[in-house]
């Protein structure tokens, strides 16, 4: 990786070296930053390149879209991800075990698999004014199937995780910080400089010491087991396959782009009574 950027043309995911040992990965899949097969393929390529570079110490993930960090899974293309979403679960396992530290800069909405991606990273900082997190699946008759329940409960505790998931509501950055969901809510105008300083500071330090810190913390706080994740995804798939749920998604598929955008911007409010 001798170039300052891994991607020269516009890609749904791109990576750029910001300095020695410091890389930034940006999601850019308008209009909603859906997690679709192209995004997954981009992540596979980028993660493999980062793993191959022993000099990488810290990787920051952000979004090029102001309103969406990552809206959610592109459910209409679920079959393209393979039975049980093997690539997704391999990716988040590799990021958890990677020698580099992973950091999120969160602006806009991160719901469903978008939030589940954030939960799989090491550190999360969010815009106080412009970040919204949620697991809205219950409002559609399904459940988080990509690790959200296991990882969220480890951060927030069982009761708060149950509140978040069972309500399907949106949570702002201040509440997410209070719940332990994110590390810190930062004023939007200061967020980029804050995260950049944090990442540069990590990149300055000794690589082997950083590797040891992450490895020991992983041993003391092990990630969810593969069997637990498989069981959750199987239950998610069973719920998704029900006729009543499929009818809901078919109705959404008939909505106009303006209607879909309004729904996605206000999903936590729209999926249930107020």
């Amino acid at each position: 990786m001798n170039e300052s950027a891994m991607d020269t043309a516009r890609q749904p995911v791109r990576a750029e070296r910001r300095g020695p040992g410091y890389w930034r990965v940006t999601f850019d899949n308008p209009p909603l930053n859906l997690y679709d097969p192209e995004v997954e393929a981009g992540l596979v390529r980028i993660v493999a390149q980062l793993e191959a570079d022993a000099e990488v110490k810290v990787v920051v993930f952000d979004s090029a879209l102001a309103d969406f960090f990552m809206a959610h899974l592109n459910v209409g293309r679920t079959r393209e991800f393979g039975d049980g979403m093997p690539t997704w679960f391999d990716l988040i396992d590799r990021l958890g075990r990677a020698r580099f530290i992973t950091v999120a800069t969160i602006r806009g909405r991160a719901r469903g698999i978008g939030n589940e991606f954030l939960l799989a990273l090491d550190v999360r900082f969010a815009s106080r004014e412009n970040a919204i997190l949620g697991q809205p699946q219950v409002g559609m008759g399904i459940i988080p199937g990509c690790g959200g329940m296991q990882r969220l409960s480890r951060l927030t505790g069982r009761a708060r995780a149950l509140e978040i998931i069972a309500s399907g509501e949106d949570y702002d950055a201040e509440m997410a910080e209070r719940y332990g969901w994110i590390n810190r809510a930062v004023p939007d105008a200061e967020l980029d400089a804050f995260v950049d300083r944090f990442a540069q500071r990590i990149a300055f330090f000794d690589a082997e010491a950083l590797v040891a810190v992450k490895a020991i913390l992983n041993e003391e706080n092990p990630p969810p087991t593969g069997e637990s994740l498989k069981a959750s995804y199987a239950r998610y798939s069973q719920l998704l396959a029900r006729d009543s749920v499929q009818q809901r998604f078919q109705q959404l598929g008939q909505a106009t782009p303006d209607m879909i955008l309004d729904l996605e911007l206000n999903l936590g409010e729209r999926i249930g009574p107020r």
Side-chain angles (χ1 to χ4, degrees), residues 74-118:
N74 191 336
V75 180
R77 302 179 66 184
T78 299
R79 293 181 180 179
E80 297 179 50
F81 294 105
D83 185 25
M85 294 193 67
T87 303
W88 160 262
F89 285 109
D90 178 64
L91 273 171
I92 58 173
D93 178 63
R94 287 160 60 190
L95 286 172
R97 293 184 291 103
R99 59 182 288 117
F100 47 83
I101 292 171
T102 55
V103 181
T105 298
I106 311 165
R107 280 192 178 90
R109 286 109 181 118
R111 302 188 184 104
I113 204 171
N115 181 58
E116 289 170 307
F117 179 81
L118 295 176

Side-chain angles (χ1 to χ4, degrees), residues 175-204:
M175 186 63 73
E177 179 188 51
R178 187 181 306 171
Y179 277 19
W181 194 339
I182 62 172
N183 291 71
R184 199 177 306 192
V186 181
D188 189 79
E190 302 171 16
L191 180 61
D192 292 328
F194 177 89
V195 175
D196 193 59
R197 178 184 178 278
F198 178 78
Q200 288 187 27
R201 186 174 177 86
I202 291 175
F204 174 81

Side-chain angles (χ1 to χ4, degrees), residues 148-159:
M149 287 193 286
Q150 292 88 344
R151 289 187 168 87
L152 188 61
S153 63
R154 292 179 183 212
L155 290 173
T156 68
R158 179 185 181 276

Side-chain angles (χ1 to χ4, degrees), residues 1 11 17 19 32 35 53 151-152 166 178 201 210 239 252:
M1 293 192 301
Q11 300 285 341
R17 184 169 57 194
L32 304 175
Y35 187 86
D53 187 344
R151 289 187 168 87
L152 188 61
R178 187 181 306 171
R201 186 174 177 86
L210 293 170
L239 293 169
L252 287 175

